[in-house]
Amino acid sequence: MVASIEDIKKIAGGSEVELPGFTSESDSFNVMLKRPSIMRLAQEGIIPNALLGTASELFKNGANSAMSSGEKMKELGEVLTTIAKASLINPTYEELEEAGIELTDPQLLYIYNFVQTGVDSLKVFRKVKESQQDTKPVGKTKAQRNPANRR
């Protein structure tokens, strides 16, 4: 069955995504993101010509490869910020800036990963976070011996 324009609009309208908190101790928070095309951002000049090399490397090889050179860090930050501006629906990037909120590097990388691979790829990060939470002690408990194990 062919999808209607209304169905496509719903799908393309965005996804609620949980971003990591601002510190390792702070709570994560949800935002609404859409998945813009990095190639379209480049075509439309939203990613400036000076950053196209870094955007291309990021697109082809991922963030780790693009960060391999300290000289590229500034360019990488600019590309990730451009992608975040194009991706954030609610709140918008501009609303965060007006509120004095600056996204962290992990948050920018998280948004980039969502844009490239979608929400399913972020489930891996959620599982890691959940497993880290499960290791915290709940309260004071004392180990007890099982009398059946005595010899």
Side-chain angles (χ1 to χ4, degrees):
M1 183 165 110
V2 176
S4 71
I5 264 305
E6 292 305 314
D7 291 338
I8 295 171
K9 282 182 180 179
K10 287 178 189 173
I11 295 167
S15 299
E16 188 172 324
V17 176
E18 185 179 356
L19 292 181
F22 288 89
T23 65
S24 60
E25 296 85 33
S26 67
D27 290 335
S28 56
F29 60 99
N30 293 347
V31 296
M32 185 67 81
L33 295 175
K34 63 181 177 180
R35 293 180 63 201
S37 163
I38 294 176
M39 287 195 275
R40 171 133 335 184
L41 294 175
Q43 287 173 334
E44 294 175 356
I46 296 170
I47 297 177
N49 285 341
L51 299 177
L52 288 179
T54 301
S56 174
E57 187 174 341
L58 186 62
F59 183 75
K60 287 189 308 189
N61 303 320
N64 288 338
S65 176
M67 286 192 282
S68 64
S69 165
E71 299 165 5
K72 297 251 184 194
M73 289 296 289
K74 180 178 185 260
E75 292 174 7
L76 178 62
E78 290 175 26
V79 171
L80 291 176
T81 298
T82 300
I83 292 170
K85 286 179 181 180
S87 303
L88 280 159
I89 298 172
N90 188 18
T92 66
Y93 191 88
E94 291 74 20
E95 289 172 332
L96 292 171
E97 279 186 320
E98 288 171 11
I101 298 169
E102 186 175 313
L103 294 176
T104 64
D105 297 344
Q107 291 164 344
L108 290 171
L109 287 167
Y110 210 80
I111 292 170
Y112 165 75
N113 284 330
F114 167 78
V115 169
Q116 285 301 97
T117 56
V119 74
D120 287 339
S121 71
L122 302 178
K123 289 179 183 176
V124 172
F125 295 104
R126 291 290 121 222
K127 288 178 184 174
V128 168
K129 181 181 175 186
E130 289 169 7
S131 69
Q132 289 173 345
Q133 290 175 346
D134 289 344
T135 61
K136 294 179 183 174
V138 176
K140 291 184 178 180
T141 59
K142 186 176 180 180
Q144 296 179 350
R145 288 187 175 220
N146 184 344
N149 290 337
R150 288 195 173 168
R151 295 184 186 192

